[in-house]
Amino acid sequence: MKILVCISHVPDTTSKINFTEGDTKFDTNGVQYVINPNDEFGLTRAMWFKEKQGASVDVVNVGGRETEATLRKALAIGADTAIRVNTEATDGFAVAKQLANVVANGGYDLVIAGRESIDYNGGMVPGMLASLSGANFVNTCIGLEIYGTQATATREIDGGKETVTTSLPLVIGGQKGLVEESDLRIPNMRGIMMARKKPLSVVEAVDANATTAAVKFEKPAAKGAVKLVSPDNIDELVNLLHNEAKVI
Amino acid sequence: MSVLVYTESDNGTFKKGALEVASYAKALANQMNTTVTAVAFNASDVSELGKYGVDKVLNVAHSEGFDANVYADIVKQATEKEGAQVVVLSSSADSKYIAPMLAVNLNAGFASNVVAIPESIAPFTVKRTAFTNKAFNHTEITTDVKIVGVSSNAFGLVEHPASATKEDFSPAITTSNVTVQSVDKATDKVTIADADVVVSGGRGLKGPENWGLVEELADVLGAATACSKPVSDLGWRPHGEHVGQTGKPVASNLYIAIGISGAIQHLAGVNASKVKVVINTDPEAPFFKSADYGIVGDAFEVVPQLIEKLKAFKAQNA
Ligand SMILES: Cc1cc2nc3c(=O)[nH]c(=O)nc-3n(C[C@H](O)[C@H](O)[C@H](O)COP(=O)(O)OP(=O)(O)OC[C@H]3O[C@@H](n4cnc5c(N)ncnc54)[C@H](O)[C@@H]3O)c2cc1C
Ligand SMILES: Nc1ncnc2c1ncn2[C@@H]1O[C@H](COP(=O)(O)O)[C@@H](O)[C@H]1O
C-alpha cells in the first residue's frame, strides 16, 4: 500500500497572531512552525500502517522552501520520502489541484490529510483533492482500518459517530482519534539523523488558478474587563445573565 | 439567478442550522435583489423554511440516507437548474463534508466559517474567521459561482412574514462507494454545534466521577456538555466533547467554563461564544481575561448553588 500524508505547515498553537503590510499579510516574525496537529495524528496512523502492514509513507507539502524543516520533521518521525511542490499556498482549491497532480503521478492508494489546518481553517483541501482524484472520501475521520483494498472508517458526526465501509483509493480528512494523543511520537536523535539522508524532492507546480484571495486581516476587538461575582452571591450571577447579558 | 441554500433536516424536522442559513440566504438575496431557493431532502412541511425567508423549496425524495458524494451531486444539479450564483451551506459536520466536493463539481470558490453577509457583491468579499478565532480574514471569491459556509450561531435566526412553495425535484441520483454501516448517536442530547448554551469542565473537576455536576447544570440550562483537551486525553470524557483549537469550535450564546485555566489553545476554540462565564479557584487563571462574568471560587461549592438558583429562576419564569 502506498500512502501519502499531506502536511500543512502552520504556526505553533501558542503563537501570537499579528499582521503586517497594512494588515494584508500574516506576520511571521518570531513565529515557530509545526506540523498541523490534525496531520500529526494522520502521520502517526500512517506509521502504524507502515510498521504493521508494510505500507510505504510519503509526505507532501505545497509551499515555499521555508516549509522544508517541517517536512524533515515528518521524515524524522518515520516517513520514507518527502515531496515539496514549489509554490506559495494561497488558496485551498489551488493547493488541492497541486496535490491531485502529485497523487496522479505517485499512484497512491491512501491519502491522509487533516480535517482542517489551524491557520486558515479552510477545511476544504481533502474533499477537493478526493473529488479531483476521483477517490472515495471520508471526512472528520477518527478511526481507519485497511484490509487489502477495503477500508472501514469511523467518522465524527454532530452528536456522535458513524462507521462506514469503502474502498481504496481513498482520501481522508483526519483528526484526533485516528490515534490517541499518547501515541504521538517526538523525533529521537536517530530519527533526526536518518531524516537528513532521506530524499526530499522539490517538484514544480502545475497551472492552477486560485478561486479566492485573502484581501485583509483583522483582529477581534479587545474584550472589556470581566465582571466578578462573589461566590456568596450566586443570585447576582443569575440576575446578570438574565437581565444584562440576556442569555437565560 | 437565485441564491441556493442547502437545508438539513433530521426525521423531517429542519435543524436550527438550516434555519440560520436560510436567514443568511434571505439577507444575501435582498442584497443581490433576488430570491432564495432551498434544497431539502424528504421534507413534508416546508412552512418553517418560509418563515426564515425561503421562497421556493426543491424537495428531493431520497430514502437512502445521507451520502456526501450523492448529496454534493444533487446540490450541484439544483444549482444549475436554478442558475444560482451563490450556494449557502451551514457548518454542520455533513455540510462541511459536502461543500468541498460541491466546489469541485461547480468549479466554484469556497469560503468557510463566514460570519456576516458579504461586504460587497462585486467583488464578492466575505468576512470569515481564521487562525481559530484569533483573527478575521476578509476573503474575495473570484469564481462565477460562489460557495459560502456560514459559521454556526454567527448570523442568528431572522424571521420573515413569508411562505415557501414546494416543488418536487428529481435529480439524477449517482451511486457512491462509501456505505454507512452503523450510527452511534445520542438522540436525547443537545449537540455542541447546535447548542445555545455549552457547559464545559476542565481538569479542575479532579475526575470523571464529578461530572454529574456538569451534567446537571447542563440539564437545567438545556445545554450541551464539553470539556478541555486534557480531560478527553485522560479518558474522563469522550473525544467528541473536546473543544478548542484542536477540538470542536464553540460559538454558543453562553459558554460556562468550570475548572478550566484558559490556555490559549482552549480560548481560541471557544472565544466566538458571545457570553463567557468562568468559575475557577485561581484569580490569576488566564480565562478571567477573556470572560464576561467570573466567580473566583471552588466549583464543588459554587456549581451546586448555581444549579439550585437556576432551578428556582426557571420555576419562577416558567
Ligand atoms: C498543540 C496543542 C493543542 C491544544 N489544543 C487544545 C484544545 O483544543 N483544547 C483545550 O482545551 N486545550 C488544548 N491544549 C491544551 C492546553 O494548552 C491546556 O493544557 C489545557 O487547555 C488545560 O486544560 P484545563 O484548563 O482543563 O486544565 P488546567 O490547565 O490544569 O487547569 C485547571 C484549572 O482548574 C482550576 N481549579 C482547580 N480546582 C478547582 C476547583 N475545585 N474549582 C474550580 N476551579 C478549580 C485551576 O485553578 C486551573 O485553572 C492544547 C495544547 C497543545 C500543545
Ligand atoms: N499547503 C499544503 N500542503 C500540503 N497539504 C496541505 C496544504 N494545505 C492543506 N493541506 C492538507 O489539507 C488539510 C486541510 O487543510 P485546509 O483545507 O487548508 O484546512 C490539512 O490538514 C493538510 O493535510
Side-chain angles (χ1 to χ4, degrees):
Chain A
M1 178 166 57
K2 277 192 81 175
I3 302 178
L4 181 69
V5 183
C6 302
I7 303 282
S8 190
H9 159 90
V10 299
D12 172 68
T13 53
T14 56
S15 304
K16 294 267 180 293
I17 304 298
N18 289 304
F19 302 99
T20 58
E21 298 180 34
D23 286 336
T24 59
K25 292 248 150 41
F26 175 62
D27 184 357
T28 57
N29 227 324
V31 171
Q32 286 274 0
Y33 280 85
V34 295
I35 298 175
N36 184 42
N38 289 319
D39 303 344
E40 204 178 339
F41 291 113
L43 176 62
T44 310
R45 186 65 191 154
M47 286 302 109
W48 189 92
F49 288 124
K50 175 177 165 166
E51 286 154 17
K52 299 284 198 285
Q53 298 187 345
S56 70
V57 178
D58 295 350
V59 290
V60 63
N61 172 267
V62 178
R65 176 170 303 169
E66 68 283 0
T67 73
E68 288 187 4
T70 301
L71 285 174
R72 288 278 174 212
K73 185 174 171 204
L75 292 173
I77 288 172
D80 301 311
T81 71
I83 302 162
R84 179 171 68 82
V85 180
N86 187 26
T87 183
E88 212 61 43
T90 49
D91 167 59
F93 208 147
V95 167
K97 286 176 188 161
Q98 300 300 344
L99 293 172
N101 183 52
V102 171
V103 171
N105 290 336
Y108 293 97
D109 306 297
L110 172 64
V111 179
I112 300 181
R115 176 198 69 189
E116 74 169 20
S117 308
I118 62 165
D119 51 0
Y120 291 93
N121 310 116
M124 61 179 80
V125 169
M128 287 173 168
L129 171 58
S131 281
L132 290 167
S133 316
N136 294 317
F137 176 49
V138 177
N139 203 17
T140 52
C141 186
I142 53 172
L144 180 66
E145 303 288 342
I146 309 281
Y147 316 93
T149 60
Q150 298 302 305
T152 301
T154 312
R155 174 172 86 96
E156 189 170 83
I157 57 177
D158 292 331
K161 56 188 179 181
E162 68 184 19
T163 305
V164 302
T165 49
T166 183
S167 57
L168 305 180
L170 171 68
V171 177
I172 65 157
Q175 61 187 63
K176 185 167 91 172
L178 272 180
V179 298
E180 294 307 316
E181 186 79 19
S182 53
D183 298 325
L184 295 179
R185 302 173 183 192
I186 297 161
N188 57 22
M189 212 47 201
R190 187 163 165 268
I192 294 167
M193 297 304 285
M194 280 171 68
R196 292 200 189 137
K197 299 201 194 84
K198 288 180 180 172
L200 189 162
S201 55
V202 178
V203 302
E204 286 316 310
V206 292
D207 272 342
N209 289 338
T211 56
T212 59
V215 185
K216 212 173 162 75
F217 295 91
E218 181 190 323
K219 295 222 279 182
K223 187 104 203 149
V226 60
K227 224 177 235 187
L228 287 180
V229 175
S230 155
D232 305 322
N233 193 7
I234 308 279
D235 276 322
E236 176 64 7
L237 180 64
V238 175
N239 176 35
L240 286 168
L241 291 178
H242 180 57
N243 292 314
E244 188 177 85
K246 301 193 189 326
V247 287
I248 59 168
Chain B
M1 205 213 71
S2 57
V3 171
L4 192 86
V5 57
Y6 167 57
T7 48
E8 278 176 38
S9 55
D10 216 354
N11 289 320
T13 312
F14 287 101
K15 293 188 186 169
K16 187 182 148 215
L19 306 179
E20 184 172 25
V21 284
S23 305
Y24 181 98
K26 175 64 175 176
L28 176 59
N30 284 345
Q31 198 182 6
M32 294 173 68
N33 265 317
T34 182
T35 56
V36 178
T37 302
V39 191
F41 289 79
N42 309 318
S44 46
D45 180 5
V46 300
S47 60
E48 272 280 277
L49 291 183
K51 213 163 91 185
Y52 292 95
V54 173
D55 298 287
K56 179 165 94 180
V57 180
L58 295 178
N59 183 48
V60 184
H62 184 68
S63 57
E64 308 278 302
F66 177 77
D67 182 318
N69 231 309
V70 173
Y71 276 41
D73 188 49
I74 291 173
V75 178
K76 174 203 178 205
Q77 293 178 55
T79 308
E80 286 170 347
K81 172 179 149 67
E82 293 294 296
Q85 262 181 338
V86 187
V87 184
V88 180
L89 297 95
S90 76
S91 291
S92 72
D94 288 355
S95 284
K96 283 195 158 179
Y97 195 176
I98 294 175
M101 295 198 269
L102 179 64
V104 172
N105 288 348
L106 290 168
N107 198 19
F110 168 43
S112 56
N113 307 326
V114 170
V115 293
I117 59 164
E119 286 138 30
S120 70
I121 296 295
F124 193 93
T125 312
V126 287
K127 181 176 176 178
R128 58 184 299 277
T129 58
F131 297 94
T132 326
N133 292 314
K134 290 179 195 165
F136 295 108
N137 164 6
H138 300 264
T139 295
E140 181 187 341
I141 307 180
T142 52
T143 45
D144 290 342
V145 178
K146 292 136 182 100
I147 303 179
V148 175
V150 182
S151 233
S152 300
N153 268 333
F155 189 76
L157 302 178
V158 184
E159 290 193 26
H160 295 274
S163 61
T165 57
K166 183 170 153 191
E167 192 177 297
D168 288 332
F169 179 47
S170 312
I173 307 243
T174 46
T175 55
S176 144
N177 250 327
V178 180
T179 313
V180 178
Q181 301 296 337
S182 64
V183 180
D184 176 2
K185 185 170 158 181
T187 45
D188 54 335
K189 278 191 71 182
V190 197
T191 64
I192 292 172
D194 257 352
D196 287 326
V197 182
V198 173
V199 178
S200 191
R203 206 147 49 176
L205 282 168
K206 312 284 192 269
E209 67 280 6
N210 296 322
W211 241 262
L213 275 182
V214 174
E215 279 174 344
E216 199 180 342
L217 180 57
D219 240 21
V220 181
L221 290 164
T225 52
C227 68
S228 68
K229 177 168 174 286
V231 165
S232 74
D233 287 344
L234 289 162
W236 296 358
R237 299 297 290 176
H239 285 319
E241 284 197 1
H242 159 200
V243 296
Q245 187 161 20
T246 52
K248 283 205 177 60
V250 182
S252 54
N253 288 332
L254 174 60
Y255 182 75
I256 303 184
I258 307 169
I260 299 177
S261 56
I264 186 165
Q265 298 97 347
H266 184 86
L267 293 179
V270 305
N271 254 341
S273 293
K274 298 198 176 75
V275 176
K276 277 153 286 185
V277 175
V278 173
I279 300 169
N280 197 307
T281 40
D282 177 7
E284 303 292 322
F287 214 142
F288 284 112
K289 290 206 179 64
S290 320
D292 300 272
Y293 302 104
I295 294 185
V296 179
D298 187 335
F300 298 103
E301 287 162 22
V302 171
V303 177
Q305 283 188 61
L306 181 58
I307 291 168
E308 287 318 308
K309 302 286 183 195
L310 283 168
K311 277 186 181 159
F313 168 82
K314 266 182 69 176
Q316 237 176 39
N317 290 268

Coordinates of all heavy atoms in Angstrom, one line a residue, chain A residues 163-217:
Chain A
T163 N -19.9 4.5 11.4 CA -18.9 3.7 10.8 C -19.3 3.4 9.4 O -20.5 3.2 9.1 CB -18.9 2.3 11.6 OG1 -18.6 2.6 13.0 CG2 -17.8 1.4 11.1
V164 N -18.3 3.6 8.5 CA -18.6 3.4 7.1 C -17.6 2.4 6.5 O -16.5 2.2 7.0 CB -18.5 4.7 6.3 CG1 -19.5 5.8 6.8 CG2 -17.1 5.3 6.3
T165 N -18.0 1.7 5.4 CA -17.1 0.9 4.7 C -16.9 1.5 3.3 O -17.8 2.1 2.8 CB -17.6 -0.5 4.5 OG1 -18.9 -0.5 4.0 CG2 -17.6 -1.3 5.8
T166 N -15.7 1.4 2.8 CA -15.4 2.0 1.5 C -14.2 1.3 0.9 O -13.8 0.2 1.5 CB -15.2 3.5 1.6 OG1 -15.0 4.1 0.3 CG2 -14.0 3.9 2.5
S167 N -13.7 1.8 -0.2 CA -12.5 1.1 -0.8 C -11.5 2.0 -1.2 O -11.7 3.2 -1.3 CB -13.0 0.2 -2.0 OG -13.7 1.1 -2.9
L168 N -10.3 1.5 -1.5 CA -9.2 2.3 -2.0 C -9.4 2.5 -3.5 O -10.1 1.7 -4.1 CB -7.9 1.6 -1.8 CG -7.6 1.2 -0.3 CD1 -6.2 0.5 -0.2 CD2 -7.6 2.4 0.6
P169 N -8.9 3.6 -4.1 CA -8.2 4.7 -3.5 C -9.1 5.6 -2.6 O -10.3 5.8 -3.0 CB -7.7 5.5 -4.7 CG -8.6 5.1 -5.8 CD -9.0 3.7 -5.6
L170 N -8.5 6.0 -1.5 CA -9.3 6.7 -0.5 C -8.6 8.0 0.0 O -7.3 7.9 0.1 CB -9.6 5.8 0.7 CG -10.2 6.3 1.9 CD1 -11.6 6.7 1.7 CD2 -10.1 5.2 3.1
V171 N -9.3 9.0 0.2 CA -8.7 10.2 0.9 C -9.5 10.4 2.2 O -10.7 10.3 2.2 CB -8.9 11.5 0.0 CG1 -8.4 12.7 0.7 CG2 -8.2 11.3 -1.4
I172 N -8.8 10.7 3.2 CA -9.5 11.0 4.5 C -9.1 12.4 5.0 O -8.0 12.9 4.7 CB -9.2 10.0 5.6 CG1 -7.8 10.0 6.1 CG2 -9.7 8.6 5.2 CD1 -7.6 9.5 7.5
G173 N -10.0 13.1 5.7 CA -9.7 14.3 6.4 C -9.7 13.9 7.9 O -10.7 13.6 8.4
G174 N -8.5 13.7 8.4 CA -8.4 13.1 9.8 C -8.2 14.0 10.9 O -8.1 15.2 10.7
Q175 N -8.3 13.5 12.1 CA -8.2 14.3 13.3 C -7.9 13.4 14.5 O -7.7 12.2 14.3 CB -9.5 15.1 13.6 CG -10.7 14.2 13.8 CD -12.0 15.0 13.9 OE1 -12.4 15.7 13.0 NE2 -12.6 14.9 15.0
K176 N -7.8 13.9 15.7 CA -7.5 13.1 16.9 C -8.5 12.0 17.0 O -9.7 12.2 16.6 CB -7.6 14.0 18.2 CG -7.2 13.2 19.4 CD -7.1 14.1 20.6 CE -8.3 14.3 21.4 NZ -8.2 15.0 22.6
G177 N -8.1 10.8 17.4 CA -9.0 9.6 17.3 C -8.4 8.6 16.4 O -8.4 7.4 16.6
L178 N -7.8 9.1 15.2 CA -7.1 8.2 14.3 C -6.0 7.5 15.1 O -5.8 6.3 14.9 CB -6.4 9.1 13.2 CG -7.2 9.4 12.0 CD1 -6.4 10.2 11.1 CD2 -7.7 8.2 11.3
V179 N -5.3 8.3 16.0 CA -4.5 7.7 17.1 C -4.8 8.6 18.3 O -5.4 9.7 18.2 CB -3.0 7.8 16.7 CG1 -2.7 6.9 15.5 CG2 -2.5 9.2 16.6
E180 N -4.3 8.2 19.4 CA -4.5 9.0 20.6 C -3.3 9.9 20.8 O -2.2 9.7 20.2 CB -4.6 8.1 21.9 CG -5.9 7.2 21.9 CD -7.1 8.0 21.7 OE1 -7.3 9.0 22.3 OE2 -8.0 7.5 20.9
E181 N -3.6 10.9 21.6 CA -2.5 11.9 22.0 C -1.2 11.2 22.4 O -0.1 11.5 22.0 CB -3.1 12.8 23.1 CG -2.2 13.9 23.5 CD -2.3 15.1 22.5 OE1 -3.3 15.2 21.8 OE2 -1.4 15.9 22.5
S182 N -1.4 10.1 23.2 CA -0.2 9.5 23.8 C 0.5 8.6 22.8 O 1.6 8.2 23.0 CB -0.7 8.5 25.0 OG -1.7 7.7 24.5
D183 N -0.1 8.4 21.6 CA 0.6 7.7 20.5 C 1.6 8.6 19.7 O 2.4 8.1 18.9 CB -0.4 7.0 19.6 CG -1.3 6.0 20.3 OD1 -0.8 5.4 21.2 OD2 -2.5 5.9 19.9
L184 N 1.4 9.9 19.8 CA 2.2 10.8 19.0 C 3.7 10.6 19.4 O 4.0 10.3 20.5 CB 1.8 12.3 19.3 CG 0.4 12.6 18.8 CD1 0.1 14.1 19.2 CD2 0.2 12.3 17.3
R185 N 4.5 10.8 18.3 CA 6.0 10.5 18.6 C 6.8 11.8 18.5 O 6.6 12.5 17.6 CB 6.5 9.5 17.5 CG 5.7 8.2 17.5 CD 6.1 7.4 16.3 NE 5.2 6.2 16.4 CZ 5.5 5.1 15.6 NH1 6.5 5.1 14.8 NH2 4.7 4.1 15.7
I186 N 7.7 11.9 19.4 CA 8.7 13.0 19.3 C 9.9 12.4 18.6 O 10.4 11.4 19.0 CB 9.0 13.5 20.7 CG1 7.8 14.1 21.4 CG2 10.1 14.5 20.7 CD1 7.8 14.2 22.9
P187 N 10.4 13.1 17.6 CA 11.5 12.5 16.8 C 12.7 12.3 17.8 O 13.0 13.2 18.6 CB 11.8 13.6 15.8 CG 10.7 14.5 15.7 CD 9.9 14.4 17.0
N188 N 13.3 11.2 17.7 CA 14.5 10.9 18.5 C 15.8 11.2 17.7 O 15.7 11.5 16.5 CB 14.6 9.5 19.1 CG 14.5 8.5 18.0 OD1 14.8 8.8 16.8 ND2 14.1 7.3 18.4
M189 N 16.9 11.2 18.3 CA 18.2 11.6 17.7 C 18.4 10.7 16.4 O 18.8 11.3 15.4 CB 19.3 11.4 18.7 CG 20.5 12.3 18.5 SD 19.8 14.0 18.4 CE 21.1 14.8 17.6
R190 N 18.2 9.4 16.5 CA 18.4 8.6 15.4 C 17.5 8.9 14.2 O 17.9 9.0 13.1 CB 18.2 7.1 15.8 CG 18.5 6.1 14.8 CD 18.7 4.7 15.4 NE 18.7 3.8 14.2 CZ 17.6 3.2 13.7 NH1 16.4 3.4 14.3 NH2 17.7 2.4 12.7
G191 N 16.2 9.2 14.6 CA 15.3 9.6 13.5 C 15.7 10.9 12.8 O 15.6 11.0 11.6
I192 N 16.2 11.8 13.6 CA 16.6 13.1 13.1 C 17.9 12.9 12.2 O 17.9 13.5 11.1 CB 17.0 14.1 14.2 CG1 15.7 14.4 15.0 CG2 17.6 15.4 13.7 CD1 15.8 15.2 16.3
M193 N 18.8 12.1 12.6 CA 20.0 11.8 11.8 C 19.5 11.1 10.4 O 20.0 11.5 9.4 CB 21.0 10.8 12.5 CG 21.6 11.4 13.8 SD 22.4 12.9 13.5 CE 23.9 12.3 12.7
M194 N 18.7 10.2 10.5 CA 18.2 9.4 9.3 C 17.5 10.4 8.4 O 17.6 10.3 7.2 CB 17.3 8.2 9.7 CG 18.2 7.0 10.2 SD 17.2 5.8 10.9 CE 16.2 5.2 9.4
A195 N 16.7 11.3 9.0 CA 15.9 12.2 8.2 C 16.7 13.0 7.2 O 16.3 13.4 6.1 CB 15.0 13.1 9.1
R196 N 17.9 13.4 7.7 CA 18.8 14.2 6.9 C 19.2 13.5 5.6 O 19.5 14.1 4.6 CB 20.1 14.5 7.6 CG 19.9 15.4 8.8 CD 21.2 16.0 9.3 NE 20.9 16.7 10.5 CZ 21.8 16.7 11.6 NH1 22.9 16.1 11.5 NH2 21.5 17.3 12.7
K197 N 19.2 12.2 5.6 CA 19.6 11.4 4.4 C 18.5 11.0 3.5 O 18.6 10.5 2.5 CB 20.4 10.2 4.8 CG 21.7 10.5 5.6 CD 22.7 9.3 5.6 CE 23.7 9.4 6.6 NZ 23.3 8.9 7.9
K198 N 17.3 11.1 4.1 CA 16.1 10.7 3.3 C 15.8 11.7 2.1 O 16.1 12.9 2.3 CB 14.9 10.6 4.2 CG 14.9 9.4 5.1 CD 13.7 9.3 6.0 CE 13.7 8.1 6.9 NZ 12.6 8.1 7.9
P199 N 15.3 11.2 1.0 CA 15.0 12.1 -0.1 C 13.9 13.1 0.1 O 12.9 12.7 0.6 CB 14.7 11.1 -1.3 CG 14.4 9.8 -0.7 CD 15.0 9.8 0.7
L200 N 14.2 14.3 -0.2 CA 13.2 15.4 -0.2 C 13.2 16.0 -1.6 O 14.2 16.7 -1.9 CB 13.5 16.4 0.9 CG 12.4 17.5 1.2 CD1 12.7 18.1 2.5 CD2 12.2 18.5 0.1
S201 N 12.2 15.6 -2.4 CA 12.3 16.2 -3.8 C 11.4 17.4 -3.9 O 10.3 17.5 -3.3 CB 11.9 15.1 -4.8 OG 10.6 14.6 -4.4
V202 N 11.9 18.3 -4.7 CA 11.1 19.6 -5.0 C 10.6 19.4 -6.4 O 11.3 19.2 -7.3 CB 12.1 20.8 -4.9 CG1 11.3 22.1 -5.2 CG2 12.7 20.8 -3.5
V203 N 9.3 19.5 -6.5 CA 8.7 19.4 -7.8 C 8.0 20.7 -8.2 O 7.6 21.5 -7.3 CB 7.6 18.2 -8.0 CG1 8.3 16.9 -7.6 CG2 6.4 18.5 -7.1
E204 N 8.0 21.0 -9.5 CA 7.5 22.3 -9.9 C 6.0 22.2 -9.9 O 5.4 21.1 -10.1 CB 8.0 22.7 -11.3 CG 9.5 23.2 -11.2 CD 9.8 24.1 -10.1 OE1 9.0 25.1 -9.9 OE2 10.7 23.9 -9.3
A205 N 5.3 23.3 -9.8 CA 3.9 23.4 -9.7 C 3.2 23.3 -11.1 O 3.9 23.6 -12.1 CB 3.4 24.7 -9.1
V206 N 2.0 22.8 -11.1 CA 1.2 22.8 -12.4 C 0.4 24.1 -12.4 O 0.3 24.7 -11.4 CB 0.3 21.5 -12.5 CG1 1.2 20.3 -12.7 CG2 -0.6 21.4 -11.3
D207 N -0.2 24.3 -13.5 CA -1.1 25.5 -13.6 C -2.3 25.3 -12.7 O -3.0 24.3 -12.9 CB -1.6 25.8 -15.0 CG -0.6 26.6 -15.8 OD1 0.2 27.3 -15.1 OD2 -0.6 26.6 -17.0
A208 N -2.6 26.2 -11.8 CA -3.8 26.0 -11.0 C -4.3 27.4 -10.6 O -3.6 28.1 -9.8 CB -3.6 25.2 -9.8
N209 N -5.4 27.8 -11.1 CA -5.9 29.2 -10.8 C -6.5 29.2 -9.3 O -7.2 28.3 -8.9 CB -7.1 29.6 -11.7 CG -6.5 29.9 -13.1 OD1 -5.3 30.2 -13.2 ND2 -7.4 29.8 -14.1
A210 N -6.2 30.3 -8.6 CA -6.8 30.5 -7.3 C -8.3 30.8 -7.5 O -8.7 31.4 -8.6 CB -6.1 31.6 -6.6
T211 N -9.1 30.5 -6.6 CA -10.6 30.8 -6.7 C -11.0 31.8 -5.6 O -12.1 32.3 -5.6 CB -11.4 29.5 -6.4 OG1 -11.0 28.9 -5.2 CG2 -11.1 28.5 -7.6
T212 N -10.0 32.0 -4.7 CA -10.3 33.0 -3.6 C -9.0 33.8 -3.3 O -7.9 33.4 -3.7 CB -10.7 32.3 -2.2 OG1 -9.6 31.5 -1.9 CG2 -11.9 31.5 -2.3
A213 N -9.2 35.0 -2.7 CA -8.0 35.8 -2.4 C -8.2 36.4 -1.0 O -9.3 37.0 -0.8 CB -7.8 36.8 -3.4
A214 N -7.2 36.2 -0.1 CA -7.3 36.9 1.2 C -7.0 38.3 1.0 O -5.9 38.7 0.6 CB -6.4 36.2 2.2
V215 N -8.0 39.2 1.3 CA -7.8 40.6 1.0 C -7.2 41.4 2.2 O -6.2 42.2 2.0 CB -9.1 41.3 0.6 CG1 -8.9 42.7 0.2 CG2 -9.8 40.5 -0.5
K216 N -7.7 41.0 3.3 CA -7.2 41.8 4.5 C -7.5 41.0 5.8 O -8.4 40.1 5.8 CB -8.1 43.1 4.6 CG -7.3 44.3 5.2 CD -8.2 45.5 5.0 CE -7.7 46.6 6.0 NZ -6.5 47.3 5.6
F217 N -6.7 41.2 6.8 CA -7.0 40.6 8.1 C -7.3 41.6 9.2 O -7.1 42.8 9.0 CB -5.7 39.8 8.5 CG -5.3 38.7 7.6 CD1 -4.5 38.9 6.5 CD2 -5.9 37.4 7.8 CE1 -4.2 37.9 5.7 CE2 -5.5 36.4 7.0 CZ -4.7 36.6 5.9

